[in-house]
Amino acid sequence: MGYGKKIYEEARAQLEASRRQAEAQAAARAQEFYAQCPPAQEVKEQMGSNAAKAAKAVLRGGDARAEMEKLRDKGLALQAEYERLLRQHGLAPADLLPRYACSRCKDTGFVDGLMCSCLKHLQRSMAYESLSMNAPLEKSTFDTFSLDYYASDPQALRQMENILKACRQYAARFRPDSSSLLFKGATGLGKTHLSLAIAGEVIAKGYGVLYGSAQTFAVALERQRFDQPDPDSPTDANSQLMACDLLILDDLGTEFPSQYVNAALYHVVNSRLLSGKPTIISTNLSMKELEDRYSERFASRIAGFYGKMEFIGQDVRIQRRMQKK
Ligand SMILES: [Zn+2]
C-alpha cells in the first residue's frame, strides 16, 4: 500500500493531535474531580509512590516476596479507596481515562508494531480528499456516466456500453497486480470520467492511487531533475509514481515535450510493468503517434502489455453545451 510520505506524515500528525487532546481532556477531568474531592488526589499520589516502591523492590531482587505482597495489598486498598471516592462523586474509573478515537491503538496508529486499521483508514480518506481537490472525483462516478450521449450512433453506444461494463469490473476486481489499461480516443469521450470513476472505487477499497495529467507529472519530474524540491511535496515524484498501487496518467501526449520527461515516463511505465503494477493511461494519440513522439520501445510496451479500450462517439462536452443552449 502506498499513499506517499506526505499523506502518511499528515495522518500521523492528525492522530497525534487527537491523542494529545484526549489525554489533555482526561487530565482536565481529573483536576476537576480533585478540586471537588481533595482526598482523592492524595490517594492518587500514594498509589503512584506505592507503585514506584514496588518497582524498586523488583529491581533490588533477592527475597522481596514479603515486601511485594505488602505493597500489592496496599495498592489494592488504595485502588478500592480511590474508586469509592469516585463513586461518591457519581463517577466511574473510566470517566477519568483518556477517550481515544481508536481504543485499539490509543491513537498511536500502531498495535504491536503493526499499522492499526484506523491509520490505514485515515490515510485512505486523506488520499481521497487530496485527489478530490485536484479532480472532480465525486462527480465522476460510474453512476454519473451517461450513455445517452452515445445513443445517436448504435456502434458507439454498443462500444461504450462494453467499455463501461469492463471498467466497472476492473474497479470491482482491482488487485495490486491487475492489468494495465490504455484508454484511446478523441477528447471529450469520457476517458477522464471513467479513469476517475475507477480511481474513486479503488481508493475506497483501500489502495493507493496516484492520478494526474501527464502535464502535472512532467512538471513534477522536471522539478526533481533540477533538484528544486517543492516544499509541499517532500517525496520525489519518481518514487511516488513507482510506489502507488494504481497510477493513472491522464492525457498522455498533451504535456510539454521534453527528452528528459519522455525518458522518465518510459522508465515509470516499464518499471511498473516489470514489477507487475497496474497503470491506466489515457491518450488521444494513435499507436503510431505514440511511437513517433516517445519511442518505439515505449509504444511497443504499451501495445504489448496494456488492455486497449477504444473510446468512440461524438464529443460529450460539445453535446452538453448544445443541450444547454
Ligand atoms: Zn487505531
Side-chain angles (χ1 to χ4, degrees):
M1 168 133 29
Y3 293 111
K5 197 171 154 204
K6 190 181 169 198
I7 282 178
Y8 175 76
E9 282 170 356
E10 275 173 13
R12 292 285 316 261
Q14 192 170 317
L15 270 185
E16 170 76 15
S18 142
R19 187 172 64 80
R20 280 170 194 264
Q21 192 190 20
E23 286 169 1
Q25 283 169 348
R29 287 196 299 276
Q31 284 309 315
E32 202 181 312
F33 170 52
Y34 299 150
Q36 287 169 18
C37 176
Q41 186 162 16
E42 273 166 48
V43 173
K44 190 78 192 176
E45 279 160 13
Q46 285 176 36
M47 284 163 76
S49 71
N50 194 64
K53 278 182 203 158
K56 270 187 207 152
V58 170
L59 284 174
R60 251 195 327 271
D63 188 14
R65 198 198 297 167
E67 196 188 348
M68 286 298 296
E69 272 171 18
K70 215 177 82 191
L71 288 167
R72 192 198 59 207
D73 291 347
K74 191 172 174 208
L76 289 172
L78 286 167
Q79 181 70 33
E81 173 63 5
Y82 188 73
E83 285 175 17
R84 191 186 65 79
L85 290 169
L86 278 171
R87 273 197 303 278
Q88 224 173 46
H89 288 78
L91 294 168
D95 291 333
L96 297 190
L97 294 177
R99 288 171 197 147
Y100 297 110
C102 175
S103 54
R104 282 187 66 219
C105 69
K106 297 187 166 52
D107 297 354
T108 60
F110 290 87
V111 181
D112 300 329
L114 293 177
M115 194 182 287
C116 182
S117 55
C118 73
L119 179 53
K120 288 183 191 165
H121 189 83
L122 190 58
Q123 290 187 84
R124 186 186 315 166
S125 56
M126 283 179 153
Y128 193 88
E129 255 172 51
S130 80
L131 189 55
S132 305
M133 272 192 291
N134 300 316
L137 207 52
E138 261 130 41
K139 281 187 201 157
S140 303
T141 64
F142 288 122
D143 291 334
T144 60
F145 189 83
S146 169
L147 286 167
D148 296 347
Y149 295 110
Y150 309 89
S152 60
D153 174 349
Q155 196 205 340
L157 181 63
R158 217 173 314 121
Q159 177 93 334
M160 292 312 296
E161 272 171 349
N162 287 337
I163 288 180
L164 176 60
K165 199 169 136 198
C167 288
R168 271 188 194 273
Q169 264 180 11
Y170 183 88
R173 296 177 186 166
F174 181 84
R175 291 176 13 159
D177 61 353
S178 284
S179 56
S180 290
L181 301 177
L182 177 69
F183 290 174
K184 275 181 64 198
T187 308
L189 293 180
K191 299 191 299 295
T192 299
H193 188 127
L194 286 183
S195 8
L196 287 172
I198 292 176
E201 287 213 2
V202 171
I203 290 175
K205 287 165 83 116
Y207 292 109
V209 177
L210 197 56
Y211 168 90
S213 67
Q215 177 59 25
T216 313
F217 290 134
V219 168
L221 289 165
E222 283 280 10
R223 186 180 288 135
Q224 180 184 314
R225 175 194 186 190
F226 294 111
D227 201 24
Q228 291 171 329
D230 175 359
D232 291 322
S233 66
T235 43
D236 63 301
N238 205 37
S239 64
Q240 283 197 41
L241 289 167
M242 291 306 306
C244 59
D245 295 316
L246 174 63
L247 172 66
I248 300 179
L249 198 58
D250 205 9
D251 259 344
L252 182 72
T254 58
E255 74 281 6
F256 189 75
S258 130
Q259 289 262 327
Y260 175 78
V261 168
N262 287 359
L265 285 175
Y266 173 76
H267 175 73
V268 167
V269 163
N270 195 42
S271 309
R272 288 186 65 89
L273 274 177
L274 288 175
S275 55
K277 288 184 164 191
T279 307
I280 297 177
I281 292 181
S282 78
T283 185
N284 53 23
L285 299 182
S286 67
M287 286 322 282
K288 177 77 176 67
E289 286 166 328
L290 281 177
E291 192 179 315
D292 291 344
R293 174 166 175 143
Y294 298 95
S295 64
E296 202 248 311
R297 282 192 309 172
F298 186 87
S300 78
R301 281 284 178 277
I302 291 176
F305 296 98
Y306 277 52
K308 276 170 283 305
M309 294 190 189
E310 197 80 53
F311 286 59
I312 55 175
Q314 281 179 345
D315 192 324
V316 168
R317 282 170 247 187
I318 294 174
Q319 290 191 61
R320 234 180 250 152
R321 252 175 269 143
M322 305 260 281
Q323 282 174 357
K324 276 182 194 156
K325 274 177 194 164

